[in-house]
Amino acid sequence: MEFFLDTADVDEIREIAAWGILDGVTTNPSLIKKSGRDFKEVVREIASICSGPISAEVTAMDTAGMLEQARQLKRELPDNVIIKIPCTPEGLAATKVLTEEGIDTNVTLIFSTSQALMAAKAGATYVSPFIGRIDDTGHDGMNLIAEITEIYNIHGFETKVLAASIRSVQDIIDSAKFGADVATIPPKFLKAMYNHPLTDKGLADFLADWAKTG
Ligand code: E4P
């Protein structure tokens, strides 16, 4: 399973990339706004820190506009930047064209299995089901991951399932259990993954004993 960071905070990305287990980064317009930086400038810097796929989202609503933005991003930004596109009819049409042009895509704002099926048919490289936002509505986001992975396996779709809108470490474990190829994780949950009080205590005990050896 791959770990992506779900942030446009370059300091956090740099810190976690140094651990050697970071496979990519996702951004969205809200995360770019939170960074307070210019979109292309911050994506360019992220792409220089992490060599894996970096999702940059188009904001046009029509297919022609999405394609124009996507091609411009691919021209102006490093090769590892991929294009994030909303799951609308216009977005599916743009995904199909970009796939034919050999440009990798991440179809986002996926809230149903039928949307994920359509995105796969359009040739999406990744689909991003939003687990947490589904849970927020009182439904089971993880069930969506399970259903999409099952259907993709049955039909041999190559589209990767990227679990998004992660709200806890348990969401990451469950995404892995249900076969998601990737989880895109806010920095605080990726940091929480290694934390365990017994590791801290065990290490302190070992070091204290080591200090007493000859
Ligand atoms: C990532 O691709 C998504 O945009 C992100 O995970 C959404 O997360 P949120 O629901 O916490 O905003």
Side-chain angles (χ1 to χ4, degrees), residues 3-9 12-13 16 19 22 24-26 28 31 34 131-132 162-169 171-172 183-193:
F3 289 165
F4 288 6
L5 265 177
D6 196 21
T7 185
D9 182 329
E12 298 270 29
I13 296 167
I16 291 168
W19 303 350
L22 183 63
V25 178
T26 52
N28 63 36
L31 292 170
K34 198 172 161 194
I131 300 169
L162 192 167
S165 190
I166 296 280
R167 297 273 195 269
S168 65
V169 171
D171 278 347
I172 302 162
T184 188
I185 307 169
K188 69 175 175 182
F189 297 128
L190 202 45
K191 289 178 177 175
M193 285 180 81

Side-chain angles (χ1 to χ4, degrees), residues 6 26-28 30-31 55 57 84 106 108 128 130 132-133 136 162-167 184 186:
D6 196 21
T26 52
T27 69
N28 63 36
S30 304
L31 292 170
S55 292
E57 190 158 341
K84 205 172 182 190
N106 172 0
T108 188
S128 288
F130 277 34
R133 293 195 195 186
D136 290 345
L162 192 167
S165 190
I166 296 280
R167 297 273 195 269
T184 188

Side-chain angles (χ1 to χ4, degrees), residues 201-214:
K201 182 181 180 312
L203 188 57
D205 290 347
F206 285 154
L207 291 178
D209 286 341
W210 185 249
K212 291 173 201 154
T213 62

